[in-house]
Structure formats: structure tokens, C-alpha cells
């Protein structure tokens, strides 16, 4: 499945497709809610929460489509910077993964649809029992399924691309004393995790009625946090293994040189010993540790705070 059309469209106008998608979705949901009567959704959650969920169904897919174009452009910049160190065959494979999805990607889309449908099992039960179904119920079911289809598309694409970048990073012609050349990988990994964090920031739209429902947040958190960690680590993993391998090779050479020098020859031993210490202290990951701690706060702490707030509210209501 080719994705080149999405890239070309995002190059011409990055916001055109996302804005059109959001406007069309909002219009459809607004018309359905206005002209349909009754239904489980109206009775169960009311207008404000329904409006918030329909906003989520309209804005989050648009955001993800926009970010797909952004990530494509960022990935091309990273590949261009790493090309001098990369193996041509592996570099070409990563570019191919960037341009298209394999047929197995359909399974991700199907999994997203099933996951979205599972969250709205009431409609399936109503169909089985023959109960009347309102248009707003159908819109809620279809909207949630389409949302998770877009999420599945995004994750399938990025995990596959990131895995290719990991393989490329492991085979880079790396200079231990110029690890700064791996900073493009760190920037890409940071962008990946911030995109996921941005997507999770849409979840409070489900609480426009000022009530937190943990069940509404758990699917997003269950998928979002593992996805953020995977998409952050994958682009860096190959380079991490490469650094460890190069350090081991360099230390082996230094130890061999050290063993050939008499232990009484302090003048020659000290520079080598100092060099060994320097190589050992080189970071094993091409990223700043402080940045990792900030990312942890953005991606993990905030969603967990939302869930805890919802659980506390439910506890207080039960007292």
C-alpha cells in the first residue's frame, strides 16, 4: 500500500487534508446528532460528553494525519544526515519502508477496527437482540472504529520505519569519538514520543461534562504508553548496539596495547589507562539522560494523573 500520495499532499499543503478531514467529520457527527432521536448514547452520557467524544473522533485522526506528514519530512532529513555513514542497501530499505506499507499492514487496520468496535459492544448486543438503534449510536460506533483504524495505520507505519532505522543504526560506520553525529536519531526519537504524547492530550475532550470516566481513558493509555516507549527506543536501539560493539572493540585494542607495555613504564601506561577510562565513560545511548527524564514526565506522569483523578472521583461518589 503506497503512502506517497499522502507525502505529496502534505508537501503541497500540510494542513489541507487534516482540516478537511476534521470539518467533514464534525459536520457528519453534528448532522447525525441533530436529526436522530433517542438512542443509548443520549440517555447514557448526555450531550456534553457526546459532543466531546465526537470532537475527539474528528480532531485526533486529523492530528495523526498531519503528524504523518511531519514525521515523513523529519525522517527524510534524518536519513539524509546519516547517509554518509549508512550501508547503501539498508539505507534503500528504510526509504522503501517510508514510502509504503506491506500487505500485512492490513492486519493492523483490522485490529484497530476490532479494538474500536470492542469498546462499543452495546451496539453489537443491540443488533443481536433486535433492539432499536439510533443514528447517534451508529455514529459513535463507526467513529470510534475509524479512529482506531487511523491509529493502527500510524503505528504500523512508524514501527516498521523505526525498525528499519534501528537496523541501519546498527550497521552505521560509526566513529566513537564523534557520537554527536547520531544526534539526528535522538531528535527523531524525541519527535516520535512527543507525537504520541500530543495524541494522548486529546483524551480530556471526553470530559467536557466535567466528569472523569476512567474507562474512557484506559484504551488510549493502554495503547499510547507502550507505543510511545517503542517508538522512542526503536530508532535508537540499533545505534545503541553499535556503540556498545565499537566500545568493546576499542577497549580490546587498548587492553592489548596496555598488555604489551611493561608495568614499570608509567610514562607509556598512563595515557593508555586514561584513554581506557574515557572510552568506558562514553554514553551507550545517543541521547541526553535529562531529556529522557523530561519525556517520562510528559508521556507517563500526565496520563497516569488523569486516571488517578478519575479513580478518586469514582471512589468519592461511591462513599
Amino acid at each position: 500500500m503506497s503512502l506517497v500520495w499522502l507525502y505529496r499532499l502534505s508537501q503541497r499543503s500540510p494542513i489541507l487534508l487534516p482540516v478537511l478531514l476534521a470539518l467533514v467529520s464534525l459536520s457528519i457527527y453534528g448532522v447525525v446528532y441533530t436529526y436522530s432521536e433517542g438512542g443509548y448514547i443520549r440517555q447514557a452520557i448526555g450531550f456534553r460528553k457526546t459532543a466531546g467524544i465526537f470532537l475527539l473522533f474528528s480532531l485526533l485522526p486529523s492530528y495523526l494525519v498531519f503528524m504523518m506528514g511531519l514525521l515523513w519530512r523529519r525522517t527524510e532529513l534524518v536519513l539524509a544526515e546519516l547517509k554518509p555513514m549508512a550501508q547503501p542497501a539498508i539505507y534503500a530499505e528504510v526509504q522503501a519502508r517510508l514510502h509504503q506499507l506491506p500487505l500485512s499492514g492490513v492486519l493492523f487496520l483490522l485490529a484497530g477496527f476490532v479494538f474500536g468496535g470492542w469498546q462499543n459492544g452495546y451496539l453489537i448486543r443491540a443488533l443481536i437482540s433486535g433492539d432499536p438503534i439510533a443514528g447517534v449510536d451508529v455514529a459513535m460506533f463507526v467513529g470510534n472504529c475509524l479512529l482506531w483504524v487511523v491509529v493502527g495505520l500510524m503505528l504500523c507505519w512508524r514501527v516498521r520505519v523505526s525498525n528499519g532505522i534501528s537496523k541501519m543504526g546498527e550497521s552505521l560506520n560509526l566513529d566513537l569519538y564523534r557520537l554527536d553525529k547520531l544526534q539526528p536519531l535522538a531528535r527523531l526519537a524525541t519527535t516520535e514520543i512527543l507525537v504520541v504524547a500530543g495524541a494522548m492530550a486529546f483524551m480530556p475532550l471526553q470530559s467536557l461534562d466535567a466528569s472523569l470516566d476512567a474507562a474512557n481513558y484506559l484504551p488510549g493509555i493502554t495503547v499510547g504508553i507502550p507505543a510511545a516507549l517503542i517508538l522512542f527506543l526503536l530508532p535508537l536501539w540499533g545505534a545503541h548496539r553499535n556503540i556498545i560493539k565499537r566500545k568493546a572493540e576499542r577497549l580490546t585494542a587498548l587492553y592489548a596495547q596496555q598488555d604489551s607495555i611493561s608495568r614499570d613504564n608509567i610514562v607509556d601506561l598512563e595515557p593508555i589507562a586514561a584513554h581506557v577510562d574515557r572510552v568506558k565513560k562514553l554514553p551507550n545511548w545517543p541521547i541526553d539522560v535529562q531529556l529522557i527524564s523530561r519525556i517520562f514526565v510528559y508521556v507517563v506522569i500526565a496520563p497516569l494523573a488523569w486516571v488517578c483523578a478519575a479513580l478518586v472521583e469514582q471512589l468519592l461518589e461511591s462513599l
Side-chain angles (χ1 to χ4, degrees), residues 269-282:
L269 280 175
E270 279 303 313
I272 297 177
H275 201 162
V276 167
D277 289 339
R278 179 188 174 189
V279 172
K280 286 182 177 180
K281 291 178 181 178
L282 288 173

Side-chain angles (χ1 to χ4, degrees), residues 78 82 165 179-193 231-232 235-236 239 285-288 291 295:
V78 169
L82 296 178
I165 292 175
L179 293 181
D180 58 293
K181 291 185 177 181
L182 295 178
Q183 283 305 302
L185 289 176
R187 294 198 302 268
L188 180 62
T190 303
T191 303
E192 298 273 13
I193 199 170
L231 292 175
F232 177 74
L236 303 173
W285 292 89
I287 194 167
D288 187 359
L291 180 60
I295 288 174

Side-chain angles (χ1 to χ4, degrees), residues 56-242:
L56 176 69
F57 290 169
S58 301
L59 298 181
L60 182 51
S62 302
Y63 165 82
L64 293 176
V65 169
F66 175 79
M67 286 302 169
M68 285 181 71
L70 174 67
L71 285 170
W72 193 316
R73 294 190 293 274
R74 293 287 177 87
T75 304
E76 284 197 327
L77 292 174
V78 169
L79 292 178
E81 292 185 68
L82 296 178
K83 186 176 182 179
M85 298 185 291
Q87 301 294 328
I90 300 179
Y91 181 86
E93 181 183 349
V94 176
Q95 284 193 315
R97 293 187 178 199
L98 189 63
H99 293 165
Q100 61 185 11
L101 285 179
L103 292 178
S104 59
V106 176
L107 296 177
F108 275 79
L109 306 186
L110 181 61
F113 187 88
V114 172
F115 186 63
W118 170 75
Q119 296 171 44
N120 294 273
Y122 66 89
L123 185 67
I124 298 175
R125 291 192 294 271
L127 287 171
I128 295 174
S129 61
D131 295 336
I133 300 173
V136 67
D137 296 333
V138 176
M140 185 69 68
F141 180 87
V142 173
N144 200 44
C145 290
L146 291 178
L147 168 62
W148 285 105
V149 165
V150 176
V151 172
L153 171 65
M154 179 81 161
L155 290 179
C156 176
W157 178 55
R158 291 314 301 175
V159 167
R160 190 164 180 267
V161 171
S162 297
N163 190 45
I165 292 175
S166 178
K167 292 180 180 178
M168 186 181 72
E170 190 168 1
S171 64
L172 289 176
N173 185 17
L174 185 61
D175 182 355
L176 273 181
Y177 305 103
R178 291 299 309 274
L179 293 181
D180 58 293
K181 291 185 177 181
L182 295 178
Q183 283 305 302
L185 289 176
R187 294 198 302 268
L188 180 62
T190 303
T191 303
E192 298 273 13
I193 199 170
L194 291 179
V195 166
V196 177
M200 296 175 68
F202 282 87
M203 290 195 296
L205 287 173
Q206 302 170 99
S207 302
L208 290 186
D209 61 346
S211 65
L212 292 173
D213 187 355
N216 289 341
Y217 289 82
L218 287 178
I221 292 174
T222 301
V223 174
I225 291 179
L229 294 176
I230 291 171
L231 292 175
F232 177 74
L233 291 175
L234 257 183
L236 303 173
W237 184 253
H240 164 68
R241 289 172 57 89
N242 197 348

